[in-house]
């Protein structure tokens, strides 16, 4: 089945303008914010595609051919987003996984009503080996929209259900932008020769169930027994052919979730004995990805509750993650909460047998 569903030739600019017209009272501020963000993504995409060349082109000294200081790619991405967004007048606050605390906006510029939270380059361990990495972003409206002062920490510490938009850019075999303003999920593919993102999938829907699971299985010995049992279940062949599932794990959340959004299945970064809240950060990574998954018809949970309902207490808070096809995530929850009928059976044999008690 062809993945591309868009029938119209629509650039991201036109798409943003069309969305704005759906809201007769829109001031254009949100659209301008998105356009500034797209510029930052274009700049990062350009640099990511040249990542491996820095050494041989002699760009790892103090300055590059343009006379600019050369930075590590994640620091570069962080700086580009801050520079593209800080003076636009649309934001009152920003926070990044790469920066400590709130990012201060320059003095003497107007403050807008939006807040931007981002992970500039997700999948840092994959940067140097040409494996897919991503940028994740999330946009909130400030608590008091009439205020003209800097946003505060309280403006940022909000449940993910209050996001007005979220998305990511996936720097893979092509560059893809996936985003939602709460009206479904649209996918754009970047043409580097034109510098344009074109709509390639309109209103992406995640399959109800998949056949792939995604988790760092190297941590298995540290997991709760309920999770070990769930993964064991996924690997046990079933009579209907639905199982065993295949394992896919890139180690870049953006890439793993991107695949799950298209093919279905489940992505997990659970708690374990060493990491009681998992590894991924609620504000920077988990909430935007959870928002997209729900907008595509999927489910996002920490194993016991809906992720988008969690009220964060601090910027760097971590959160266990189970997200993807609704049936798969509901099944994982049933295992973790000891509600799954299979738990009455022993694991380890291809045909479940009743455990004797
Ligand atoms: P990062 O923000 O330092 O890149 O870490 C987050 C990444 C996620 O993209 C990915 O899902 C996870 O770390 C992989 O972690 P692990 O190597 O423990 O499997
Ligand atoms: Mg990250």
């Amino acid at each position: 089945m062809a993945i591309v569903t868009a029938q119209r030739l629509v650039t991201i600019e036109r798409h943003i303008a069309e969305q704005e017209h759906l809201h007769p009272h829109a001031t254009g501020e949100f659209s301008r914010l998105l356009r500034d963000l797209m510029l930052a993504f274009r700049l990062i995409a350009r640099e990511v595609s040249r990542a491996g060349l820095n050494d041989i082109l002699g760009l790892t000294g103090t300055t590059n051919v343009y006379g600019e200081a050369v930075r590590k790619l994640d620091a570069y991405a962080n700086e580009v987003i801050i520079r593209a967004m800080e003076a636009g007048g649309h934001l009152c606050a920003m926070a990044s996984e790469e920066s400590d605390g709130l990012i201060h906006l320059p003095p003497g510029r107007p403050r807008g009503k939006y807040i931007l939270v981002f992970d500039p380059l997700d999948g840092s361990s994959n940067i140097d080996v040409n494996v897919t990495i991503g940028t994740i972003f999330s946009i909130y409206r400030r608590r008091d929209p009439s205020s003209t002062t800097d946003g505060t920490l309280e403006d940022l510490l909000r449940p993910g259900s209050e996001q007005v938009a979220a998305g990511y850019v996936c720097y893979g075999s092509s560059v893809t932008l996936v985003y939602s303003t709460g009206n479904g999920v649209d996918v754009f593919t970047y043409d580097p020769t034109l510098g344009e993102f074109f709509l390639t999938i309109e209103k992406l829907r995640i399959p109800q169930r998949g056949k792939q699971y995604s988790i760092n299985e190297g941590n298995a010995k540290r997991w709760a027994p309920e999770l070990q049992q769930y993964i064991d279940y996924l690997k046990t062949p079933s009579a209907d052919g639905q199982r065993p599932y295949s394992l896919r794990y890139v180690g870049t959340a953006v890439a793993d979730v991107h695949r799950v959004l298209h093919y279905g299945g489940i992505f997990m970064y659970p708690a374990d004995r060493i990491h009681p809240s998992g590894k991924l950060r609620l504000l920077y990574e988990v909430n935007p990805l959870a928002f997209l998954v729900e907008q595509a018809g999927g489910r996002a949970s920490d194993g016991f509750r809906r992720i988008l309902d969690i009220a964060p207490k601090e910027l760097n808070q971590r959160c266990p993650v189970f997200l993807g096809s609704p049936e798969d995530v509901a099944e994982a929850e049933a295992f973790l909460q000891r509600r799954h009928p299979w738990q009455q059976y022993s694991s380890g044999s291809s045909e479940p047998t009743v455990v004797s008690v």
Side-chain angles (χ1 to χ4, degrees), residues 40-351:
F41 296 156
R42 287 184 179 99
L43 289 165
I44 298 169
R46 185 185 65 179
E47 214 55 28
V48 166
S49 69
R50 301 193 308 201
L53 292 172
N54 281 354
D55 282 337
I56 59 162
L57 295 182
L59 301 181
T60 49
T62 49
T63 55
N64 64 16
V65 288
Y66 308 106
E68 300 160 340
V70 175
R71 312 185 63 79
K72 281 186 66 199
L73 209 50
D74 40 6
Y76 171 84
N78 195 43
E79 206 170 291
V80 163
I81 295 176
I82 294 172
R83 279 172 51 192
M85 304 309 295
E86 65 183 357
H90 332 301
L91 298 178
C92 64
M94 252 192 291
S96 158
E97 199 191 281
E98 283 285 319
S99 305
D100 218 14
L102 287 182
I103 296 166
H104 297 291
L105 299 175
R109 306 285 309 179
R111 282 9 181 184
K113 58 174 175 287
Y114 292 104
I115 292 151
L116 176 68
V117 181
F118 59 97
D119 178 357
L121 222 48
D122 177 55
S124 36
S125 66
N126 284 328
I127 293 177
D128 292 336
V129 287
N130 196 18
V131 174
T132 301
I133 48 181
T135 298
I136 313 177
F137 67 95
S138 174
I139 299 168
Y140 295 82
R141 209 173 272 119
R142 70 183 308 163
R143 287 182 190 274
D144 174 7
S146 62
S147 172
T148 54
T149 58
D150 283 339
T152 63
L153 195 57
E154 283 64 48
D155 283 313
L156 270 101
L157 297 179
R158 315 267 286 278
S161 56
E162 294 183 18
Q163 292 170 101
V164 294
Y168 62 76
V169 183
C170 186
Y171 310 100
S173 48
S174 60
V175 176
T176 316
L177 166 71
V178 178
Y179 98 107
S180 173
T181 53
N183 180 29
V185 176
D186 295 307
V187 180
F188 297 81
T189 303
Y190 187 60
D191 181 334
T193 61
L194 296 171
E196 285 283 9
F197 282 98
F198 288 98
L199 181 65
T200 39
I201 304 182
E202 250 179 314
K203 305 289 171 258
L204 176 71
R205 299 301 291 172
I206 192 168
Q208 283 295 107
R209 182 180 275 281
K211 220 176 168 306
Q212 296 180 345
Y213 71 102
S214 189
I215 190 168
N216 183 343
E217 207 156 349
N219 295 329
K221 296 274 187 228
R222 300 178 185 154
W223 296 338
E226 293 82 0
L227 178 60
Q228 293 184 3
Q229 208 169 16
Y230 172 57
I231 301 299
D232 208 27
Y233 163 81
L234 294 179
K235 294 194 277 197
T236 303
S238 61
D240 63 1
Q242 176 59 33
R243 291 180 282 120
Y245 276 39
S246 295
L247 168 64
R248 296 283 185 276
Y249 191 69
V250 177
T252 294
V254 165
D256 284 313
V257 173
H258 190 63
R259 186 191 53 253
V260 167
L261 275 171
H262 289 78
Y263 292 159
I266 183 166
F267 168 78
M268 296 165 267
Y269 208 109
D272 62 41
R273 250 189 301 117
I274 313 263
H275 309 101
S277 300
K279 176 183 182 187
L280 302 185
R281 267 134 305 206
L282 179 61
L283 268 90
Y284 302 112
E285 294 159 326
V286 181
N287 269 339
L289 297 175
F291 184 81
L292 290 168
V293 165
E294 281 202 5
Q295 283 293 318
R299 188 173 173 98
S301 153
D302 72 352
F304 296 86
R305 58 193 163 152
R306 181 183 179 227
I307 283 171
L308 295 183
D309 287 337
I310 298 173
K313 294 191 173 58
E314 52 182 21
L315 284 179
N316 291 322
Q317 191 166 326
R318 295 173 198 265
C319 168
V321 180
F322 298 82
L323 53 76
S325 292
E327 289 181 14
D328 285 302
V329 176
E331 198 161 58
E333 289 174 312
F335 268 91
L336 295 170
Q337 299 167 22
R338 305 198 65 79
R339 292 186 284 103
H340 197 281
W342 202 76
Q343 276 168 325
Q344 297 161 42
Y345 301 97
S346 68
S347 54
S349 67
S350 55
E351 289 304 321

